[in-house]
Amino acid sequence: MNFDAAYAKWMEDRQQTRKGESLRRLREGHGYLEKLFLSEIWWPAVGNFEHLHPEFEIIDDRGAIRFLDFAYLRAPHKIALEMDGFNAHAREMDRRQFSEERKKQNFLLLNGWKMLRFSSDDIKDSPAYCRQTVIQMFGEW
């Protein structure tokens, strides 16, 4: 199966299990950069979407609902994969949003998650580096 067919089926399957805000977030939050990561990084490195969950919902210790771009869940591993566009994560972020991003990361790390972050520039301009990082993730963790 090629990427486009596998991606369409994977997204369709994920949408069927979601409702409410989780479904809206999947439809609206999973965009260009996330799909580019999948097509240029994940698919060539891994070849499937097993155990990978887009726009994964978590509830932190303060009861706040947060979403991860991707969660790779394969017991005993919990790995958050975040795609960071410069505008959304630096230039256009206000102080409250910046603080909330740090709280989300701290919560995850304190609760046994591992995390990888990829910049939009690296996904676009250095896909070999990103693929190598994903492959190394499987070897290390």
Side-chain angles (χ1 to χ4, degrees), residues 113-130:
W113 286 78
K114 304 230 189 266
M115 178 176 272
L116 290 178
R117 300 189 85 107
F118 296 94
S119 73
S120 59
D121 291 340
D122 281 340
I123 293 169
K124 292 174 189 173
D125 302 333
S126 302
Y129 157 76
C130 297

Side-chain angles (χ1 to χ4, degrees), residues 10-11 18 25-26 28-31 33-35 37-38 52-58 66-72 79-85 88-89 101 104 108 113 115-120 123:
W10 180 68
M11 285 299 286
R18 306 275 184 99
R25 183 66 184 233
L26 180 59
E28 296 176 15
H30 184 83
L33 188 57
E34 290 80 10
K35 186 173 181 184
F37 173 79
L38 292 174
L52 188 66
H53 304 273
E55 295 300 321
F56 186 76
E57 183 177 316
I58 59 169
R66 302 179 184 279
F67 289 88
L68 305 175
D69 291 334
F70 297 101
Y72 180 79
I79 303 170
L81 300 157
E82 292 283 283
M83 314 301 108
D84 297 330
H89 287 273
E101 280 289 311
K104 176 174 84 172
L108 291 168
W113 286 78
M115 178 176 272
L116 290 178
R117 300 189 85 107
F118 296 94
S119 73
S120 59
I123 293 169

Side-chain angles (χ1 to χ4, degrees), residues 28-79:
E28 296 176 15
H30 184 83
Y32 167 78
L33 188 57
E34 290 80 10
K35 186 173 181 184
L36 185 65
F37 173 79
L38 292 174
S39 69
E40 300 301 314
I41 312 306
W42 189 268
W43 185 259
V46 181
N48 65 64
F49 300 123
E50 292 178 34
H51 311 291
L52 188 66
H53 304 273
E55 295 300 321
F56 186 76
E57 183 177 316
I58 59 169
I59 300 174
D60 71 13
D61 53 349
R62 297 176 298 134
I65 296 173
R66 302 179 184 279
F67 289 88
L68 305 175
D69 291 334
F70 297 101
Y72 180 79
L73 303 173
R74 186 173 182 191
H77 305 288
K78 300 184 297 186
I79 303 170

Side-chain angles (χ1 to χ4, degrees), residues 15 17-28 57 67:
Q15 289 182 33
T17 64
R18 306 275 184 99
K19 59 184 175 185
E21 178 63 13
S22 180
L23 178 58
R24 184 199 69 77
R25 183 66 184 233
L26 180 59
R27 288 181 176 158
E28 296 176 15
E57 183 177 316
F67 289 88

